[in-house]
Amino acid sequence: ALMRSWRDGFGEPVASFLIVQLPNYSKTSPEIREAQLLSALSDGHAAAVVTADVGEVEDIHPRNKRPVGERLALAARALCYGENIDGLSPAYRAAVFAGGKGALTFLHAGSGLELRGAGGFEVCGADYRWVPAEARPVAPDRIEVWAPAVASPVAARYAWSNTPTLTLYGRNGLPASPFRTYDPLKP
């Protein structure tokens, strides 16, 4: 509604917006970051800049502004100026669960996805009891997740906490946005 009202007010129906996701602040729920991402993805003329890997746990304003500014500049070049660059963070698109694993596909994967360390991923079965999961890239825009303790996973989530540790990045150096694959009306 805010983007629409500003576009209407300025007479610019396709004005671009860059949304800076909230950083890893102790009082920021993952649902807020999700809402910011979904707003950008559903708009068509907006992008979300991921900052959950910068900042201080007890200060919502990251002292290190450089990565935030650099990411905003890349997103602006890709979205606003139409440059053919890989300037957006990977964003969860869809999941298919079969054979004890989940195949998760991503938008804005550019030249591929990479893991920087372990952790951050969880899967659950039909009981919605979350357990840490393993992950590995299997295609430029897809990763596979699984956990030996969950024979038939039905959902996955990544960096789903107020102060997440991000491990999934695009090869462009930009972190993937935290996400969940399940219906938020479930537990």
Side-chain angles (χ1 to χ4, degrees):
L2 176 67
M3 292 185 288
R4 184 175 49 253
S5 72
W6 284 6
R7 286 176 179 138
D8 291 346
F10 287 103
E12 295 288 339
V14 294
S16 297
F17 283 85
L18 301 176
I19 300 167
V20 178
Q21 280 187 327
L22 293 175
N24 59 338
Y25 177 55
S26 65
K27 296 178 180 127
T28 299
S29 73
E31 289 85 358
I32 293 174
R33 288 187 198 97
E34 177 183 57
Q36 292 176 304
L37 176 65
L38 295 177
S39 293
L41 291 176
S42 67
D43 182 78
H45 298 286
V49 174
V50 178
T51 64
D53 62 332
V54 298
E56 294 76 38
V57 171
E58 295 304 324
D59 186 352
I60 197 165
H61 300 286
R63 289 184 202 115
N64 184 4
K65 307 286 188 214
R66 182 175 216 88
V68 178
E70 289 171 345
R71 292 171 190 178
L72 280 165
L74 283 172
R77 289 175 59 196
L79 180 69
C80 306
Y81 297 106
E83 290 185 34
N84 187 21
I85 63 167
D86 187 8
L88 301 176
S89 285
Y92 165 73
R93 181 177 183 200
V96 174
F97 293 91
K101 295 182 179 178
L104 313 180
T105 57
F106 292 81
L107 300 167
H108 314 305
S111 59
L113 301 168
E114 63 185 16
L115 293 171
R116 296 182 180 179
F121 291 91
E122 297 174 284
V123 296
C124 70
D127 60 0
Y128 277 82
R129 291 183 187 194
W130 295 97
V131 300
E134 302 292 324
R136 70 174 176 201
V138 293
D141 68 341
R142 190 171 68 242
I143 63 167
E144 190 173 73
V145 294
W146 71 96
V150 181
S152 298
V154 300
R157 61 188 185 186
Y158 165 71
W160 203 253
S161 76
N162 291 10
T163 57
T165 298
L166 301 187
T167 57
L168 180 62
Y169 285 75
R171 288 201 178 129
N172 61 1
L174 297 174
S177 181
F179 66 88
R180 59 182 166 179
T181 67
Y182 60 96
D183 181 340
L185 298 177
K186 299 278 187 184

